[in-house]
């Protein structure tokens, strides 16, 4: 039997526990039930210092302790997306979380508790990192109605389909890594690495709009590495250690490509519900003040419950492994 979902979104000028209760109550009204078997609750950063009263209010409203979620920079459902106001988003379900045999795990973590070994272990993961683009602040994660001291949450999830929009377009040709020192990429094809990028783009855009793709044997990106800094010696610090001889290609963010990737995912039949985990640098930050990615999914799946948040990292299973992503949108269609 297919699970039924419904969402609710509440916001106000102050962060109060009532917002969480109202979001759950709204979702239950749409579900046509007086209680939920499980709840995903995402709260705006205004709740980050102490979300426990809001968790209690949500659990009472839903009449269940099966409440999981986190605080984040902003939250969304199918009604609206919010980045600048205290808000609560709830996705309720009329059945318990999926059993342990489910192929996916909803995975949430606080910025200071991300454990790459933990992320790599286990079945396919999807989710996000609570927090804003800086990765700072007292962001919290909860599971089974309780704050997690380790800042980590994972739950089985029944996922029909999963996709990731990276929104990154290849620029220039493929290069061979010829000089590295730790995390510093020094030369490509025997030339200064930064010189190859400046030759393509001239004046460099903000670094979060660029990445370096590490290619597999078929010439396809198996990993996108954020650029951390451009150094005075013309080296480029990237987010992982490269090896001499690897094939790489520069990438640049493209709003048009990002929308094409979302449209491709949205072309499938509407799911029972959708989950969205978006980077704080996507959405309105990428599309001139409007979250056109959210608009695309909402228009393609009218009436479908949506829930998610804007954070500073995304989690998804790509190229055969669980990966921590950046500047991405992870989209899950629940079955």
């Amino acid at each position: 039997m297919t699970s039924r979902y419904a969402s609710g979104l509440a916001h106000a000028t102050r962060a109060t526990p009532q917002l969480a209760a109202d979001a759950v109550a709204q979702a239950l009204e749409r579900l046509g039930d007086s209680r939920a078997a499980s709840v995903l609750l995402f709260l705006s950063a205004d709740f980050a210092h102490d979300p426990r009263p809001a968790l209690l209010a949500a659990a009472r409203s839903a009449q269940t302790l099966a409440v999981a979620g986190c605080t984040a920079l902003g939250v969304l459902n199918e009604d609206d997306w919010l980045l600048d106001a205290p808000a609560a988003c709830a996705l309720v379900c009329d059945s318990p979380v999926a059993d342990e045999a489910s192929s996916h795990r909803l995975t949430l973590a606080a910025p200071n508790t991300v454990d790459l070994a933990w992320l790599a272990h286990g079945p396919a993961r999807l989710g996000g990192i609570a927090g804003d683009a800086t990765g700072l602040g007292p962001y919290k994660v909860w599971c089974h109605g309780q704050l997690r001291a380790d800042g980590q949450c994972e739950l089985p999830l029944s996922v029909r389909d999963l996709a990731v929009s990276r929104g990154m377009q290849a620029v220039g040709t493929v290069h061979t890594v010829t000089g590295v020192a730790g995390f510093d990429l020094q030369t490509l094809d025997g030339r200064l690495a930064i010189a190859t990028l400046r030759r393509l783009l001239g004046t460099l855009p903000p670094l979060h709009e660029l990445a370096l793709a590490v290619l597999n044997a078929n010439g396809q990106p198996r990993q996108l590495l954020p650029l951390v800094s451009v150094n005075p010696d013309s080296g480029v610090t990237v987010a992982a250690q490269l090896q001499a001889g690897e094939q790489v290609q520069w990438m640049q963010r493209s709003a048009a490509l990002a929308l094409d990737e979302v449209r491709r995912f949205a072309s499938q039949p509407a799911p029972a519900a959708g989950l969205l985990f978006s980077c704080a640098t996507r959405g309105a930050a990428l599309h001139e003040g409007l979250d056109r990615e959210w608009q695309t999914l909402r228009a393609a799946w009218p009436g479908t419950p949506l829930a998610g948040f804007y954070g500073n990292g995304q989690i998804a299973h790509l190229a055969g492994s669980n990966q921590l992503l950046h500047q991405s949108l992870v989209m899950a269609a629940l079955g």
Side-chain angles (χ1 to χ4, degrees):
M1 181 177 177
T2 303
S3 297
R4 294 186 304 120
Y5 299 87
S7 77
L9 183 71
H11 61 93
T13 57
R14 293 177 57 246
T16 66
Q18 189 62 42
L19 286 181
D22 289 347
V24 171
Q26 182 186 123
L28 287 174
E29 183 177 0
R30 289 174 168 177
L31 190 67
D33 210 332
S34 60
R35 58 162 306 190
S38 58
V39 180
L40 287 180
L41 178 69
F42 302 127
L43 301 175
S44 66
D46 312 271
F47 292 87
H49 180 69
D50 184 10
R52 287 172 295 184
L55 295 188
L56 180 60
R60 284 175 172 167
S61 182
Q63 299 182 55
T64 181
L65 293 177
V67 181
C70 64
T71 54
L73 178 65
V75 299
L76 62 87
N77 81 337
E78 70 272 20
D79 297 324
D80 207 351
W81 54 272
L82 294 164
L83 285 165
D84 55 0
C89 168
L91 181 72
V92 302
C93 183
D94 68 349
S95 61
V97 293
D99 60 40
E100 292 296 325
S102 298
S103 59
H104 290 80
R105 293 291 185 275
L106 173 66
T107 303
L108 307 171
N112 61 340
T113 65
V114 178
D115 182 339
L116 294 182
W118 170 64
L119 290 181
H121 178 72
R125 297 184 182 275
L126 71 145
I129 309 301
D132 58 20
T134 69
L136 303 176
Y139 291 92
K140 301 293 195 307
V141 172
W142 47 86
C143 199
H144 306 299
Q146 299 290 326
L147 292 185
R148 294 286 305 200
D150 61 2
Q152 299 173 355
C153 170
E154 62 175 274
L155 289 172
L157 199 62
S158 178
V159 175
R160 190 185 78 187
D161 196 13
L162 175 69
V164 178
S165 167
R166 308 300 295 269
M168 286 286 184
Q169 191 164 32
V171 291
T173 59
V174 174
H175 300 282
T176 300
V177 176
T178 51
V180 291
F183 290 88
D184 290 339
L185 171 62
Q186 296 176 325
T187 61
L188 294 172
D189 306 324
R191 299 182 301 228
L192 289 175
I194 192 61
T196 67
L197 185 57
R198 286 196 168 116
R199 187 175 294 113
L200 289 169
L201 302 179
T203 302
L204 296 184
L207 291 185
H208 71 265
E209 296 184 7
L210 301 171
L212 185 71
V214 184
L215 308 181
N216 61 21
N218 298 320
Q220 298 300 312
R222 63 174 174 83
Q223 193 176 18
L224 290 189
L225 303 180
L227 307 191
V228 178
S229 65
V230 175
N231 306 315
D233 61 359
S234 295
V236 180
T237 302
V238 296
Q241 290 183 305
L242 295 164
Q243 301 295 322
E246 286 188 300
Q247 301 291 294
V248 297
Q249 191 168 19
W250 295 113
M251 309 289 283
Q252 185 174 19
R253 192 162 73 162
S254 165
L257 177 61
L259 277 180
D260 285 344
E261 292 168 338
V262 175
R263 290 189 189 105
R264 196 174 307 125
F265 184 70
S267 65
Q268 65 180 286
L275 291 178
L276 306 178
F277 302 101
S278 180
C279 180
T281 63
R282 293 285 295 256
L286 180 58
H287 299 285
E288 300 178 334
L290 295 175
D291 190 339
R292 299 192 185 280
E293 297 162 4
W294 169 84
Q295 289 178 334
T296 298
L297 284 166
R298 182 174 180 260
W301 299 339
T304 298
L306 300 177
F309 64 83
Y310 301 89
N312 76 332
Q314 299 74 53
I315 298 165
H317 192 79
L318 286 177
S321 65
N322 294 317
Q323 296 187 26
L324 177 62
L325 310 175
H326 302 277
Q327 284 89 49
S328 299
L329 171 65
V330 173
M331 303 168 284
L334 305 186

